[in-house]
Amino acid sequence: MDTAEAARRFVAGWQAGWARHDVDALIGLYAPDCVHRSMPFREPHRGRAALAAYLRWSFEDEVPLDVRFGPPVVGPDGVAVAEFRVLAEEGGHASTLAGCVFVRFDADGLAVETRDYWHTADGHQEPEGGLFLEPAAMNRPPTSRS
């Protein structure tokens, strides 16, 4: 399993799936016995059915307007992390959700464990600083720095 390829597929799948609220497409990125933590101290969602129920609940009042993921950063042992930002309307009000997802992949490239860290804010905002990269950056060749 190529972790970088699995991470790129996961990020692209989440970006497209979240924009459409396509829970079935999102669940297809996960192993059947996956464990997802929506925040560090919440009870985990164990298995695809529990994760699907959580996603449907999360999407109930959200109208996504723009979903963006930065390119994943790949670490050792099948682990990657990616930053995301979602501009949405919830209950008729503009909102922004920004955060990151840590994901570990199995030998088939499916997510077996994920953990999200995120924050919401009123209105539509872009994260500050230079770490968040536009999706177009995923298609650019890496630059070398001397």
Side-chain angles (χ1 to χ4, degrees):
M1 187 269 308
D2 180 347
T3 302
E5 180 56 34
R8 285 190 294 271
R9 188 181 72 249
F10 183 84
V11 164
W14 257 98
Q15 185 167 297
W18 196 336
R20 296 186 319 265
H21 283 179
D22 188 343
V23 172
D24 291 335
L26 294 172
I27 294 304
L29 300 169
Y30 290 80
D33 59 347
C34 65
V35 177
H36 171 74
R37 290 173 177 85
S38 171
M39 287 297 273
F41 304 113
R42 286 185 179 172
E43 286 295 316
H45 307 99
R46 297 184 184 279
R48 285 180 173 167
L51 178 55
Y54 167 73
L55 293 174
R56 287 186 184 96
W57 173 81
S58 295
F59 292 159
E60 275 180 359
D61 294 328
E62 180 190 79
V63 177
L65 303 174
D66 186 38
V67 178
R68 294 187 191 173
F69 277 72
V73 176
V74 176
D77 302 321
V79 175
V81 63
E83 190 174 23
F84 56 86
R85 191 273 289 136
V86 178
L87 302 180
E89 288 187 8
E90 294 191 55
H93 296 93
S95 67
T96 302
L97 185 145
C100 59
V101 56
F102 291 80
V103 57
R104 184 164 13 131
F105 298 99
D106 66 11
D108 295 323
L110 295 174
V112 292
E113 185 176 10
T114 55
R115 179 186 309 268
D116 293 344
Y117 294 91
W118 50 266
H119 181 76
T120 58
D122 292 333
H124 291 155
Q125 304 178 40
E126 293 295 334
E128 294 288 330
L131 291 178
F132 186 80
L133 299 175
E134 295 295 322
M138 293 176 68
N139 300 320
R140 283 189 226 131
T143 58
S144 72
R145 297 181 184 188
S146 308

